[in-house]
Amino acid sequence: MPLLRALLEGGLDDPDAVRIGDTAFSGPELLGAASVVADEIAERPDPSSPVAVGATASAETVVAVVGALLAGAPVVPVPPDSGMAERAHLLGDSGATTWFGDRPRDVTLPGKRVDLSRRAGHEVREATGDGPALILYTSGTTGSPKGVLLSADAMAAGLDGLADAWGWTAADTLVHGLPLFHVHGLVLGVFGALRTGSRLVHTVKPTPENYARAVREHGGSLLFGVPTVWSRIGDDPASAAALTDARLLVSGSAPLPVPVFERVRELTGQAPVERYGMSETMITLAVRADGERRPGWVGVPVAGVECRLRAVTDGPDGESVTTDEEVPTDGESIGELQVRGPSLFDGYLNRPEATAETQTADGWFRTGDAAVVDADGYHRIVGRRSVDLIKSGGYRIGAGEVETALLAYEGISEAAVVGEPDDDLGQRIVAHVVCSGASVDAQDVMDFVGERLSKHKRPREVVVVDELPRNAMGKVQKARLRRG
């Protein structure tokens, strides 16, 4: 069954079915425009070679990506704000031979513009094959970005799992303003609509006003956002009030702070649902539309996905090592999250050793994330095992849990927790915080966390900073915060 099932089966026939900013298509119009791109790709010397797309938040990006999928050429979405060195790495590593969209001066590949007015006069079907449909690049927090190979079948399986979890159907109108170069914005936020047949409204910019307008004017029912989007909506009661007519509010890509969760629930009348996934796995955990909504918890495995936790211990050199030991489902014990199912990637491009490192001997994917699971199967992510699992005073502590507690403190708008060497504790918990107003009292912050979590989880030091160091994807670079 094709990835873009509804689009290819004649669905989305509303003239306003796919709206990107001020540009709207019906499904057949989108298919006709994308077929022109597919024909251009097929005319290249090597039609199966990867295609780079300057992934701006535009109708041109959607048409180019869909066209490449129709032609069977792997798509390399290139972030529009990427620098010259990053672009050079993505293009060189992927082997892309053509650039679609506005071409930066430093890009020497043959370039093609997308003409939204053109339509192919013939029927085009989605190409079939076992190769990758997307090459998505990781954020490069542990070296140069790696190309994640995602097949059409893997994306289809992941989207079907989410459709089941969220009751996502052709009756919905999906609204979001997320970037079109990663899983959240492109796969879930575009391919999801073209598979389920739901209408799509991409707001280009994810502002509270744009989301409110999309609900009022276009009947938005399913809304996607990252925590920053929901935080800004929580600060805009007038826009938030318009979202009461939406069916489901979804938050992802990072943990949603509890105060933001509560504020959105207060203003809209419904709590957001959270989910968890990676480029390598699609979305593996999600709070169901009919499930309990708990702040900080990302739900249960979606249909077709299995998850397990394995214990983490100290290796011979003091490093964290994952064992084969099961972790109790008590909602407190931390282990490495491992998953398996049909939505997993096919490996890292030209990185067989890196791919092998992610696999267990019995066929599970090692996410590298530390998590807890309770008796009901609900999961909470506490951070990356490599940087967010802190060993202090004989305890293993997830930095994410401490960060969530810190964000509940009035006056703290951002928080990043790291472990630093300590002669007594092994590692001491150090909190780096950004204040939204006046500076905070460090001891009061430490006491605040100690009252909400176990005493051993409280920070031993609080450092106020103007901003947290982040990479191009917005992820905090904790290595730059460590001082020892």
Side-chain angles (χ1 to χ4, degrees):
M1 186 177 294
L3 169 62
L4 309 179
R5 180 179 57 208
L7 176 67
L8 294 169
E9 291 180 352
L12 297 158
D13 55 359
D14 187 306
D16 202 28
V18 180
R19 173 173 288 276
I20 315 294
D22 294 328
T23 303
F25 293 101
S26 67
E29 288 174 331
L30 171 58
L31 188 57
S35 297
V36 173
V37 172
D39 289 343
E40 292 177 331
I41 291 172
E43 293 168 356
R44 298 180 304 163
D46 181 1
S48 63
S49 63
V51 170
V53 175
T56 58
S58 65
E60 286 82 356
T61 293
V62 173
V63 169
V65 171
V66 171
L69 292 179
L70 296 176
V75 180
V76 184
V78 181
D81 60 349
S82 58
M84 292 176 59
E86 181 183 358
R87 277 195 297 272
H89 173 71
L90 267 58
L91 299 179
D93 186 71
S94 67
T97 59
T98 313
W99 177 284
F100 276 86
D102 291 335
R103 187 177 55 176
R105 292 181 179 179
D106 56 284
V107 174
T108 60
L109 296 179
K112 292 184 176 293
R113 291 185 176 273
V114 178
D115 186 344
L116 299 180
S117 66
R118 294 180 63 194
R119 303 286 184 270
H122 57 89
E123 183 176 347
V124 175
R125 294 191 176 275
E126 183 175 310
T128 58
D130 298 328
L134 281 187
I135 305 175
L136 297 176
Y137 276 82
T138 62
S139 56
T141 54
T142 57
S144 59
K146 299 186 290 289
V148 175
L149 303 175
L150 276 177
S151 69
D153 287 346
M155 290 187 281
L159 291 170
D160 288 348
L162 286 180
D164 171 74
W166 295 338
W168 186 359
T169 70
D172 279 306
T173 295
L174 171 62
V175 173
H176 73 94
L178 302 173
L180 300 182
F181 51 82
H182 55 42
V183 164
H184 197 172
L186 180 59
V187 181
L188 275 61
V190 176
F191 300 168
L194 302 183
R195 182 167 180 80
T196 63
S198 68
R199 291 171 54 191
L200 168 64
V201 178
H202 190 284
T203 63
V204 180
K205 294 183 178 180
T207 65
E209 298 83 2
N210 285 347
Y211 275 48
R213 186 180 304 112
V215 173
R216 287 194 305 263
E217 298 180 4
H218 302 288
S221 60
L222 178 61
L223 275 59
F224 290 172
V226 297
T228 300
V229 171
W230 297 116
S231 177
R232 291 173 180 172
I233 287 172
D235 290 337
D236 187 343
S239 294
L243 307 190
T244 57
D245 292 332
R247 181 179 69 82
L248 196 66
L249 313 179
V250 180
S251 183
S253 295
L256 184 66
V258 175
V260 176
F261 178 99
E262 298 294 356
R263 181 65 170 160
V264 170
R265 175 161 58 183
E266 174 189 350
L267 293 174
T268 66
Q270 63 168 305
V273 299
E274 296 188 66
R275 86 302 182 280
Y276 163 84
M278 306 171 64
S279 299
E280 293 91 334
T281 67
M282 290 287 294
I283 304 304
T284 56
L285 296 163
V287 175
R288 297 182 62 86
D290 57 359
E292 180 185 359
R293 305 179 189 186
R294 313 177 195 167
W297 294 79
V298 293
V300 299
V302 302
V305 172
E306 296 177 84
C307 296
R308 71 183 189 185
L309 295 187
R310 286 297 180 262
V312 178
T313 187
D314 290 336
D317 297 321
E319 77 281 12
S320 294
V321 176
T322 302
T323 72
D324 291 330
E325 181 183 350
E326 294 184 7
V327 172
T329 55
D330 56 11
E332 290 290 337
S333 300
I334 297 174
E336 182 188 66
L337 177 64
Q338 300 177 357
V339 303
R340 67 180 179 185
S343 60
L344 266 63
F345 76 140
D346 291 330
Y348 297 114
L349 179 63
N350 300 324
R351 303 281 189 94
E353 292 183 359
T355 301
E357 289 174 359
T358 69
Q359 308 297 318
T360 67
D362 54 349
W364 292 71
F365 174 78
R366 302 179 57 188
T367 67
D369 282 323
V372 301
V373 61
D374 71 6
D376 297 323
Y378 264 62
H379 290 67
R380 179 164 52 84
I381 307 299
V382 300
R384 293 294 291 171
R385 198 203 73 177
S386 58
V387 298
D388 292 324
L389 200 56
I390 301 169
K391 294 171 287 185
S392 182
Y395 295 97
R396 292 186 183 277
I397 300 155
E401 182 179 22
V402 183
E403 289 162 357
T404 297
L406 287 164
L407 290 171
Y409 186 92
E410 185 174 358
I412 292 179
S413 57
E414 298 179 65
V417 168
V418 298
E420 295 196 357
D422 187 276
D423 291 340
D424 178 43
L425 298 169
Q427 285 183 306
R428 68 182 183 280
I429 301 172
V430 179
H432 296 257
V433 301
V434 176
C435 300
S436 54
S439 184
V440 298
D441 181 80
Q443 187 60 53
D444 191 50
V445 171
M446 290 186 276
D447 293 342
F448 178 86
V449 175
E451 291 171 359
R452 282 154 181 77
L453 304 177
S454 302
K455 292 295 184 183
H456 63 267
K457 297 179 181 179
R458 71 188 186 281
R460 301 304 177 111
E461 185 180 353
V462 177
V463 180
V464 178
V465 297
D466 292 332
E467 62 180 6
L468 298 175
R470 297 179 183 274
N471 64 16
M473 292 292 289
K475 294 185 178 181
V476 176
Q477 296 176 302
K478 291 192 173 182
R480 294 173 57 186
L481 293 174
R482 289 196 178 95
R483 299 165 299 181

